[in-house]
Amino acid sequence: MRTGSEPATARSALRARFWLCVWGLVWAVFGTVAFALAGRPGWAAACGVLWLVVTVDMTMILRHIRQGPHYQPGRDVPPYRPPENGPPFPRQPRHRHP
């Protein structure tokens, strides 16, 4: 059921994001090492920056997973109730062009 408050009450598939981070981390480490050994310092630096970004993202994901069911709901956690007074942000009127 759509309530109009999805941006404010959205949940993330943290386990899927974690495994995608693992996949990205493996490739970033591989790219950094491979480009460094191949003598391409620019590409090695780019992969190193990607490695850093993926590591920070993985840290945040693990933090949210450890915070419990508020951030990582299971099947026994019901969805958030919709707000009583409507969407949290007023909607702009939609103009349709013919």
Side-chain angles (χ1 to χ4, degrees), residues 1-91:
M1 176 177 95
R2 292 188 51 94
T3 62
S5 66
E6 283 81 12
T9 60
R11 296 182 185 184
S12 177
L14 293 176
R15 288 185 188 98
R17 284 182 56 197
F18 171 76
W19 288 111
L20 287 171
C21 276
V22 169
W23 181 252
L25 186 67
V26 167
W27 279 105
V29 170
F30 174 75
T32 303
V33 171
F35 284 123
L37 292 175
R40 304 277 186 163
W43 284 105
C47 287
V49 169
L50 183 62
W51 183 357
L52 178 67
V53 169
V54 170
T55 303
V56 169
D57 188 36
M58 185 181 291
T59 303
M60 293 303 297
I61 291 169
L62 289 173
R63 179 175 173 257
H64 285 169
I65 287 173
R66 288 187 181 138
Q67 285 180 341
H70 177 72
Y71 288 103
Q72 184 60 30
R75 294 185 178 159
D76 56 335
V77 178
Y80 293 122
R81 291 184 359 176
E84 299 291 330
N85 55 1
F89 305 106
R91 290 188 176 182

